[in-house]
């Protein structure tokens, strides 16, 4: 049973050194945080009509625009030195507030919430006023002078301690890629909403075709689709899943060389209610025999990218036809779009410290600069503040100037030799919260690491023994859920669910 | 002097005199305080916090890492901090229990020594129940917040802005002075009534509570109203 949160066990932490620096407690009895209200939730409007008897009936309901941002007040007793909050008034800068609920342990311990507590993070906060308590007063009065600072912030993210659990599947091969349906479309018949439908692609066992396995209940049960997309002994390297009209399109790529054929994708338009029936349409990507596809990436409703050996191709019609964007010789493993709907830059990372950028879907490719000693990139990500993250065969880095030069890069965490950074996730795109899946190419267990202070420190979710992780999918409306796929253990494919842990104090 | 008869386990009465209102002040060793730890907040203020070992459903395990090798500020480092603080708090709690037991023993011995009308009755106090009966008869019932709250609610039907009075008082920002308000109010009441302590303790507990409240209620409500008006301004 979850422990009740009491006000005396809630502590505010802030970052005195700015984003990405260590967090520090903002007292436990000198500061209060009151009147917290989330005004970002849309209301519901309605239009009334009349029924046959003249009685009012709701004819139409519709969402109304939210009334504003999150608001509240931070109050504290003024001291002789400038308070952290007074400095925010002076600078009018953005900052974050960590609200830890700590059921047991030290109140100044920024990791104590991991023992069954919670972290309510207030993101992109700014002060919006300043009100001082009365002083001096005519009567003899030894009361503290209370300062009240109204604040407003853009979003809340709640984090819980996570644990990894096995998902059951009868698949026997290594799993290479996972994607899920996250579109919020409510008008597609049979679509039950995001985070229910996932497709995972596997290697082929000897003499047999590689499977695509799926779930329609968020991962509780898995099964193989009715048909496999490629020929025997051909592994499937990656998968994308997205809505197309009233169907779900599953787009997969071949990861095994075919000396007689070019790189190849296959897609199947699947009906809701019949998610396991797949009829594949195979499409060549490019014309060079022996090419393989390492990564697929969806950058918009119709725009899909494929890294093909050293080349880049894109499709403007959800994978039906493909156009060459760039010819090269360096393998590309990671593709990501800049953060937000307004940014149409697409980034590519690969071997030999390769970092490329396509500006604004223009087809123009620029070569950017990776970190010193960057090696081979396997993952890329962007924060909502424009910070670029890159993962290679051992470490995660960040660039504060869009890969302009090596000086803008810094290493956040070296996970060690053979520790390949497969995925980098930032809930809400916030740069303070970084979740990383790390493979172990020596065959030891892969891991899920996380930082809640912009990479200043990293912690690891308790291991669930495996043979290495290859890909992961973050539940987009739930920052506390990830599905991670990896290499088989004793001929059992590994699918792990990261979700809120039941254990605590 | 108020004397009560209690029946001990031998079936015979024992006369016990009620001690003064503050007779136990200074008796026995000081009671232990909670185990605290200190840290510095972001503004450089020294914060003292209570470490509650009973918040843990089970004791934290000794970390498997080597403390000299863990990175400062890492989770392992904090696990070590929590573990060692827990051990210190556990030791403090064990000593506190001993000190509390010593306090109870000394207070009990004081009461037996001072409250028995016939000192020889000391030999007749044999069972734990005998001891408890004598102690209960000797101690003046103390006013506390619960009794005050009960009387405020049931006798005076008092509230402020829909809240219980004691809850409303918590919203008043205090200064730096510390004292026991109930002890002060009772003394003020004794002075007003012209009673000695021995005369005052004869008044039943609830009646004492009603008298204290009737004397102080208007002052309390005035402070609450003034605070509310100050906040409104």
């Amino acid at each position: 049973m979850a422990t009740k949160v009491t006000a005396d066990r809630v502590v505010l932490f802030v970052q005195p050194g700015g984003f990405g620096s260590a967090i520090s407690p903002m007292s436990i009895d000198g500061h209060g945080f009151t009147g917290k209200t989330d005004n970002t939730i849309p209301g519901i409007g309605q239009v009334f009509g009349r029924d046959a008897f003249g009685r009012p009936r709701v004819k139409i309901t519709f969402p109304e625009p939210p009334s504003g941002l999150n608001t509240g007040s931070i109050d504290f007793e003024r001291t002789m030195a400038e308070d952290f909050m007074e400095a925010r008034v002076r600078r009018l800068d953005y900052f974050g507030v960590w609200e830890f609920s700590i059921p047991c342990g030290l109140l100044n311990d920024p990791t104590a919430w991991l023992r069954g507590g919670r972290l309510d993070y207030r993101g992109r906060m700014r002060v919006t006023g300043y009100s001082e308590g009365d002083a001096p007063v005519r009567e003899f009065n030894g009361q503290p002078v209370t300062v009240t600072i109204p604040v407003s912030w853009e979003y809340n993210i709640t984090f819980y301690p996570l644990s990894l659990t096995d998902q059951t599947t009868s698949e026997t091969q290594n799993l290479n890629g996972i994607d899920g349906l996250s579109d919020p479309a409510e008008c597609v018949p049979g679509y039950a909403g995001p985070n229910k439908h996932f497709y995972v692609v596997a290697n082929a066992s000897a003499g047999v075709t590689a499977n695509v396995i799926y779930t329609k209940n968020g991962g509780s049960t898995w099964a193989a689709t009715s048909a496999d997309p490629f020929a025997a002994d051909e592994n499937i390297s990656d998968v994308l899943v997205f809505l197309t009209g009233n169907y779900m399109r599953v787009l997969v790529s071949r990861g095994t060389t075919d000396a007689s054929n070019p790189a190849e994708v296959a897609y199947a338009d699947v009906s809701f209610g019949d998610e396991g029936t797949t009829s594949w349409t195979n499409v060549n990507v490019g014309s060079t025999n022996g090419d393989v596809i390492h990564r697929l990436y969806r950058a918009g409703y119709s725009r899909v990218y494929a890294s093909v050996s050293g080349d880049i191709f894109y499709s403007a019609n959800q994978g039906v036809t493909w156009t060459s964007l760039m010819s090269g010789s360096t393998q590309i493993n990671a593709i990501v779009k800049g953060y937000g709907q307004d940014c149409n830059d697409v980034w590519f990372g690969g071997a030999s410290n390769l970092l490329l950028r396509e500006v604004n879907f223009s087809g123009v490719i620029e070569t950017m600069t990776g970190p010193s000693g960057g090696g081979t990139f396997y993952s890329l990500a962007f924060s909502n503040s424009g910070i670029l993250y890159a993962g290679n065969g051992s470490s995660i880095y960040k660039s504060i100037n869009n890969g302009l030069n090596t000086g803008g890069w810094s290493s956040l965490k070296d996970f060690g030799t053979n520790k390949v950074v497969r995925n980098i996730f930032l809930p809400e795109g916030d740069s303070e919260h970084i979740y990383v899946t790390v493979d172990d190419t020596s065959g030891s267990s892969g891991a899920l690491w996380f930082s809640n202070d912009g990479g200043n420190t990293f912690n690891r979710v308790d291991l669930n023994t495996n043979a290495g992780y290859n890909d992961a999918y973050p539940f987009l409306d739930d920052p506390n859920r990830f599905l991670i796929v990896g290499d088989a253990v004793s001929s059992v494919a590994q699918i792990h669910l990261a979700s809120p842990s039941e254990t605590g104090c | 002097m108020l004397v009560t008869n209690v029946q001990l386990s031998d079936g015979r009465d024992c006369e016990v005199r009620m001690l003064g209102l503050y007779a136990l002040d200074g008796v026995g060793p000081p009671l232990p305080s909670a185990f605290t730890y200190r840290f510095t907040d972001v503004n450089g203020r020294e914060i003292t916090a209570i470490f509650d070992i009973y918040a843990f459903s089970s004791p934290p395990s000794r970390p498997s890492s080597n403390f000299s090798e863990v990175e400062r500020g890492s989770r392992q480092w904090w696990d070590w901090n929590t573990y060692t603080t827990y051990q210190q708090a556990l030791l403090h709690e064990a000593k506190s229990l001993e000190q509390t037991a010593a306090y109870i023993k000394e207070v009990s011995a004081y009461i037996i020594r001072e409250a028995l009308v016939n000192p020889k009755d000391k030999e007749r106090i044999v069972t734990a129940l005998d001891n408890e009966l004598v102690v209960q008869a000797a101690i003046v019932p103390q006013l506390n917040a619960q009794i005050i709250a009960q009387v405020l609610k049931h006798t005076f039907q008092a509230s402020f802005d829909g809240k219980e009075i004691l809850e409303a008082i918590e919203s008043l920002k205090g200064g730096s002075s510390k004292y026991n308000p109930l002890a002060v109010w009772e003394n003020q009441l004794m002075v007003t009534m012209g009673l000695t302590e021995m005369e005052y303790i004869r008044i039943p507990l609830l009646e004492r509570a009603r008298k204290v409240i009737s004397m102080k209620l208007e002052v309390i409500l005035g402070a609450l109203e003034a605070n509310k008006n100050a906040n409104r301004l």
Side-chain angles (χ1 to χ4, degrees):
Chain A
M1 190 169 71
T3 308
K4 195 191 308 185
V5 174
T6 55
D8 60 320
R9 302 297 306 187
V10 178
V11 191
L12 300 181
F13 276 63
V14 290
Q15 267 173 330
F19 290 115
S21 64
I23 56 177
S24 202
M26 190 160 69
S27 90
I28 58 171
D29 63 352
H31 289 73
F33 194 1
T34 58
K36 284 170 271 189
T37 306
D38 186 346
N39 302 301
T40 66
I41 300 172
I44 302 179
Q46 65 284 320
V47 173
F48 284 92
R50 283 175 291 180
D51 65 12
F53 299 98
R55 295 173 300 195
R57 66 174 184 94
V58 177
K59 210 160 66 166
I60 306 168
T61 60
F62 52 89
E64 290 181 328
S67 59
L69 297 178
N70 296 279
T71 55
S73 292
I74 295 178
D75 51 73
F76 57 93
E77 293 153 3
R78 201 167 71 182
T79 65
M80 300 301 177
E82 182 180 66
D83 191 272
F84 174 86
M85 291 304 300
E86 289 172 316
R88 304 285 70 73
V89 173
R90 179 163 51 80
R91 295 181 190 163
L92 291 180
D93 52 359
Y94 284 100
F95 60 103
V97 171
W98 286 248
E99 198 175 300
F100 289 114
S101 298
I102 299 173
C104 63
L106 298 163
L107 294 177
N108 59 322
D109 174 4
T111 67
W113 69 285
L114 295 170
R115 288 189 205 91
R118 59 186 278 164
L119 162 58
D120 289 281
Y121 175 75
R122 320 297 181 178
R124 286 184 64 76
M125 181 180 285
R126 271 189 59 179
V127 300
T128 56
Y130 183 78
S131 172
E132 285 186 49
D134 293 339
V137 291
R138 287 179 289 111
E139 304 87 2
F140 177 74
N141 188 333
Q143 285 195 28
V145 179
T146 303
V147 177
T148 300
I149 296 184
V151 291
S152 190
W153 65 98
E154 292 183 18
Y155 48 80
N156 302 302
I157 316 175
T158 299
F159 297 98
Y160 301 98
L162 301 180
S163 63
L164 289 162
T165 52
D166 291 339
Q167 303 292 288
T168 305
T169 173
S170 57
E171 175 60 48
T172 60
Q173 300 300 306
N174 293 350
L175 302 176
N176 300 318
I178 179 173
D179 198 18
L181 206 55
S182 59
D183 300 59
E186 294 173 343
C187 52
V188 175
Y191 177 47
N195 303 321
K196 300 266 191 314
H197 296 88
F198 296 97
Y199 285 77
V200 174
V201 293
N203 274 354
S205 57
V208 179
T209 54
N211 291 329
V212 175
I213 63 174
Y214 75 99
T215 177
K216 55 184 179 181
N217 52 24
S220 299
T221 55
W222 296 84
T225 58
S226 61
D228 293 333
F230 303 120
D233 298 314
E234 292 182 343
N235 298 334
I236 311 171
S237 55
D238 206 357
V239 58
L240 292 177
V241 181
F242 45 88
L243 288 175
T244 179
N246 286 344
Y247 296 94
M248 182 167 38
R249 176 159 292 178
V250 182
L251 178 70
V252 299
S253 55
R254 172 164 53 75
T256 302
T257 302
D258 180 347
S260 307
N261 284 295
E264 185 183 13
V265 297
Y267 66 85
D269 290 345
V270 175
S271 300
F272 291 103
D274 192 17
E275 290 84 352
T277 300
T278 48
S279 174
W280 299 99
T281 301
N282 291 66
V283 178
N284 286 342
V285 181
S287 57
T288 306
N289 290 346
D291 273 356
V292 294
I293 297 175
H294 302 287
R295 180 64 60 198
L296 293 172
Y297 182 80
R298 183 174 172 232
Y301 182 76
S302 297
R303 195 171 180 92
V304 181
Y305 290 82
S307 64
V308 181
S309 295
D311 306 329
I312 302 172
F313 283 78
Y314 80 95
S315 168
N317 52 17
Q318 298 183 329
V320 178
T321 59
W322 294 84
T323 305
S324 172
L325 191 63
M326 189 200 83
S327 294
S329 57
T330 305
Q331 180 175 320
I332 290 169
N333 304 308
I335 309 173
V336 75
K337 192 172 84 72
Y339 188 85
Q341 288 179 306
D342 297 333
C343 181
N344 291 326
D345 293 347
V346 182
W347 293 70
F348 308 85
S352 306
N353 215 16
L354 180 69
L355 193 62
L356 305 170
R357 177 175 70 177
E358 179 197 21
V359 178
N360 201 27
F361 289 168
S362 63
V364 175
I365 302 286
E366 299 176 321
T367 300
M368 310 305 290
T369 305
S372 175
T376 299
F377 295 120
Y378 294 93
S379 50
L380 295 171
F382 265 99
S383 75
N384 60 23
S385 52
I387 298 175
L388 169 63
Y389 299 84
N392 66 4
S394 62
S395 305
I396 177 171
Y397 297 84
K398 77 172 188 184
S399 168
I400 57 172
N401 60 7
N402 275 350
L404 183 65
N405 48 44
T406 55
W409 287 95
S410 56
S411 173
L412 293 180
K413 172 76 177 174
D414 182 352
F415 298 101
T417 307
N418 299 322
K419 302 292 188 186
V420 175
V421 178
R422 294 289 183 199
N423 307 91
I424 304 169
F425 302 120
L426 297 100
E428 291 286 342
D430 195 289
S431 60
E432 300 309 305
H433 307 283
I434 308 168
Y435 285 73
V436 182
T437 56
V438 179
D439 184 16
D440 188 313
T441 55
S442 71
S444 294
S445 293
L448 176 63
W449 288 81
F450 60 99
S451 172
N452 297 108
D453 58 4
N456 191 59
T457 57
F458 275 85
N459 295 301
R460 192 184 65 186
V461 176
D462 287 345
L463 286 179
N464 186 10
T465 305
N466 59 82
Y469 286 151
N470 296 321
D471 199 11
Y473 178 88
F475 283 53
L476 293 182
D477 64 347
D478 185 351
N480 298 289
R481 279 191 156 73
F482 305 84
L483 275 172
I484 309 172
V485 299
D487 290 347
V489 174
S490 303
S491 298
V492 177
Q494 297 295 298
I495 304 177
H496 290 174
L497 172 68
S499 59
S501 169
E502 296 295 324
T503 60
C505 290
Chain B
M1 172 194 318
L2 187 62
V3 174
T4 314
N5 276 321
V6 298
Q7 189 177 68
L8 299 180
S9 56
D10 59 9
R12 292 156 44 211
D13 281 351
C14 169
E15 286 185 315
V16 180
R17 73 171 69 90
M18 186 177 279
L19 301 175
L21 188 57
Y22 307 110
L24 294 180
D25 289 0
V27 174
L31 281 171
S33 55
F35 180 80
T36 59
Y37 62 100
R38 305 179 80 173
F39 62 90
T40 305
D41 79 350
V42 69
N43 296 305
R45 283 172 33 156
E46 275 270 312
I47 308 293
T48 301
I50 293 172
F51 189 90
D52 181 7
I53 61 171
Y54 296 106
F56 291 82
S57 58
S58 59
S61 306
R62 181 187 173 92
S64 56
S65 54
N66 195 334
F67 182 69
S68 61
E69 293 171 356
V70 298
E71 185 184 338
R72 185 181 178 86
S74 66
R75 188 169 176 195
Q76 291 79 8
W77 188 82
W78 281 108
D79 283 347
W80 269 108
N81 266 279
T82 303
Y83 173 76
T84 55
T85 306
Y86 184 93
Q87 297 303 317
Q88 291 165 13
L90 193 62
L91 184 62
H92 176 90
E93 182 70 2
K95 284 187 178 168
S96 297
L97 290 172
E98 286 174 9
Q99 287 173 327
T100 304
Y103 172 85
I104 293 171
K105 191 175 173 186
E106 236 181 270
V107 164
S108 184
Y110 175 86
I111 290 171
I112 300 295
R113 197 165 59 241
E114 300 293 325
L116 292 177
V117 171
N118 182 355
K120 287 185 181 171
D121 282 342
K122 181 182 169 187
E123 311 300 326
R124 296 172 50 215
I125 298 171
V126 174
T127 66
L129 182 57
D130 288 342
N131 192 73
E132 189 179 331
L133 287 170
V134 170
V135 167
Q136 292 297 327
I139 293 178
V140 177
Q142 299 286 318
L143 267 189
N144 58 40
Q146 283 77 22
I147 295 170
I148 296 289
Q150 176 190 336
V151 172
L152 277 168
K153 185 174 180 179
H154 295 294
T155 307
F156 294 95
Q157 284 104 49
S159 65
F160 186 79
D161 276 356
K163 287 186 199 173
E164 307 263 341
I165 295 288
L166 289 186
E167 189 186 338
I169 287 175
E170 285 177 12
S171 66
L172 290 176
K173 300 285 185 193
S176 58
S177 56
K178 289 181 191 269
Y179 63 93
N180 179 348
L182 290 177
V184 171
W185 294 348
E186 287 212 275
N187 272 279
Q188 288 174 340
L189 182 61
M190 278 185 260
V191 169
T192 303
M193 293 175 70
L195 297 176
T196 63
E197 285 184 13
M198 295 312 293
E199 291 167 335
Y200 179 76
I201 63 176
R202 290 170 181 270
I203 303 173
L205 183 63
L206 283 179
E207 186 177 334
R208 279 163 49 199
R210 287 192 290 269
K211 289 184 184 322
V212 162
I213 291 167
S214 63
M215 184 180 70
K216 283 298 179 184
L217 186 58
E218 286 182 353
V219 171
I220 294 170
L221 290 175
L224 290 170
E225 284 289 353
N227 182 63
K228 182 178 174 180
N229 289 333
N231 287 341
R232 191 182 292 138
L233 292 171

